[in-house]
Amino acid sequence: MFQVQKVSYKTLLSLDEIAFTKVMLVLAMVIWGGSFIASKVGLSELYPIELAALRFAIATPVLLLFTVMAYGVGSLKIDLKDLPVLIVLGMTGVTLQYIFQFIGMYYTTVTNSALLINMATFFIIIPSAIFLKEKINADNILGVILAFVGAALVITKGEFIFQANIIGDGLILICAVLWAIYVLTGNKLAGKYSVLTQLNYIFIIGFIGLIPAYFLTPHHALTEISLLSWECIIFLSIFCSIFAYFIINNAIVKIGPSKTAIYQYFEPLFAIIFAIILLSEPLTVFIGIGGLMIIAGIAMADNNIKLLSIFKNKA
């Protein structure tokens, strides 16, 4: 019989469990870094919202089928009182996230989009400290800032040219807020249902929300889409949606929202690594420095490096 995993990051976990969760988070960021290539190739033929809708048109039934076959229909049972929370997760993590992101990217630059979307970490950490009482020290704050600056160096390659666009930048900033709401709201049901149960509802609700957007915007006949684009869609569906979302949601349960959020600074680093390997983009000194800053910043934010604490103790 399907067993609900009642584990919360507030529960004492073994060091092995915590370490495994963090390793999987890094793997998820590798996958999301690879999504940069898949999205770029897919968007050369497909429209943005079309790509998002087809992505979840595949991910949603595949995840549902796997869950039912592995754990039975009973694994999808939830309390109706929790449905509003799941609707918020589906809309913020899937529907509105992708609609706003793609429209925003149409009006602003890729650089602006990448920089502003990374503001989500700040929108997660601050409320986590205030409302969820997560402990955050000076090293954690400095680490987040260091990782953000490192991500900015990687994304811009050291060329800080920020051309503001009220509509585009505003929509991307809303995306950052939406992702913060998704991560923080996901904590509300942590441990009550299995991650698979939650994810099924998130995908179903999110996909339903994307359907009207799909039909109201330009899209191709399914038979007109090339094999290469279908390969990109499948990669985004199976790996970037099902696998990576599962890891993220599981990490929220195991280590909490703020710790999960800081690992997302790895995403632009892996994205540029894939771009260098697969798209022959140049490796610059700024990318190298930025990468080291991301690694050091995440280590500080995750309490693996304690600089300020050492100086404070010596004083």
Side-chain angles (χ1 to χ4, degrees), residues 22-72:
K22 292 176 180 179
V23 169
M24 293 303 290
L25 265 178
V26 175
L27 178 58
M29 294 306 108
V30 172
I31 294 171
W32 275 1
S35 72
F36 168 80
I37 307 297
S39 297
K40 188 168 185 176
V41 173
L43 289 172
S44 64
E45 177 184 348
L46 304 173
Y47 296 102
I49 294 179
E50 176 184 29
L51 179 60
L54 292 176
R55 168 180 176 173
F56 284 95
I58 294 175
T60 303
V62 169
L63 180 65
L64 182 61
L65 181 62
F66 170 80
T67 305
V68 171
M69 290 181 65
Y71 302 105

Side-chain angles (χ1 to χ4, degrees), residues 209-273:
L210 282 171
I211 292 175
Y214 173 78
F215 286 108
L216 291 172
T217 56
H219 55 273
H220 299 81
L222 298 181
T223 53
E224 296 177 352
I225 299 175
S226 68
L227 178 60
L228 180 59
S229 291
W230 277 117
E231 290 173 350
C232 293
I233 293 169
I234 291 173
F235 174 77
L236 292 169
S237 301
I238 306 301
F239 293 96
C240 300
S241 296
I242 296 176
F243 194 63
Y245 267 72
F246 179 88
I247 293 172
I248 294 294
N249 282 269
N250 184 60
I252 293 171
V253 175
K254 294 290 181 65
I255 62 176
S258 62
K259 294 296 184 186
T260 300
I262 60 176
Y263 277 81
Q264 290 182 230
Y265 282 124
F266 273 128
E267 183 183 352
L269 176 59
F270 289 123
I272 199 67
I273 289 174

Side-chain angles (χ1 to χ4, degrees), residues 40-298:
K40 188 168 185 176
V41 173
L43 289 172
S44 64
E45 177 184 348
L46 304 173
Y47 296 102
I49 294 179
E50 176 184 29
L51 179 60
L54 292 176
R55 168 180 176 173
F56 284 95
I58 294 175
T60 303
V62 169
L63 180 65
L64 182 61
L65 181 62
F66 170 80
T67 305
V68 171
M69 290 181 65
Y71 302 105
V73 178
S75 65
L76 299 174
K77 185 179 179 180
I78 61 166
D79 293 334
L80 289 179
K81 65 179 181 180
D82 293 325
L83 189 57
V85 177
L86 292 167
I87 290 174
V88 170
L89 290 171
M91 296 300 290
T92 57
V94 178
T95 306
L96 296 177
Q97 180 69 222
Y98 285 98
I99 291 176
F100 283 9
Q101 181 178 335
F102 288 138
I103 294 176
M105 289 178 67
Y106 178 81
Y107 287 103
T108 191
T109 64
V110 175
T111 299
N112 285 22
S113 299
L115 287 173
L116 291 170
I117 203 72
N118 275 294
M119 291 296 294
T121 303
F122 293 99
F123 298 146
I124 293 170
I125 289 177
I126 295 172
S128 293
I130 297 174
F131 301 110
L132 302 180
K133 307 302 180 183
E134 289 196 34
K135 295 181 179 179
I136 298 176
N137 56 42
D139 279 312
N140 300 150
I141 296 172
L142 179 60
V144 172
I145 295 173
L146 186 64
F148 178 81
V149 174
L153 278 175
V154 169
I155 293 165
T156 63
K157 301 179 179 66
E159 299 176 5
F160 286 94
I161 302 175
F162 192 89
Q163 300 175 339
N165 180 287
I166 295 177
I167 296 176
D169 294 344
L171 289 174
I172 296 299
L173 199 57
I174 290 174
C175 285
V177 174
L178 287 171
W179 185 251
I181 293 173
Y182 174 81
V183 173
L184 292 168
T185 304
N187 178 73
K188 189 175 181 65
L189 297 178
K192 184 170 185 179
Y193 305 108
S194 73
V195 175
L196 275 178
T197 300
Q198 285 192 165
L199 209 54
N200 270 285
Y201 282 93
I202 291 169
F203 279 20
I204 291 171
I205 293 167
F207 174 58
I208 291 173
L210 282 171
I211 292 175
Y214 173 78
F215 286 108
L216 291 172
T217 56
H219 55 273
H220 299 81
L222 298 181
T223 53
E224 296 177 352
I225 299 175
S226 68
L227 178 60
L228 180 59
S229 291
W230 277 117
E231 290 173 350
C232 293
I233 293 169
I234 291 173
F235 174 77
L236 292 169
S237 301
I238 306 301
F239 293 96
C240 300
S241 296
I242 296 176
F243 194 63
Y245 267 72
F246 179 88
I247 293 172
I248 294 294
N249 282 269
N250 184 60
I252 293 171
V253 175
K254 294 290 181 65
I255 62 176
S258 62
K259 294 296 184 186
T260 300
I262 60 176
Y263 277 81
Q264 290 182 230
Y265 282 124
F266 273 128
E267 183 183 352
L269 176 59
F270 289 123
I272 199 67
I273 289 174
F274 281 121
I276 291 170
I277 296 172
L278 300 176
L279 302 180
S280 300
E281 291 197 11
L283 172 62
T284 67
V285 174
F286 289 107
I287 291 175
I289 295 174
L292 292 175
M293 290 176 69
I294 290 173
I295 295 171
I298 291 175

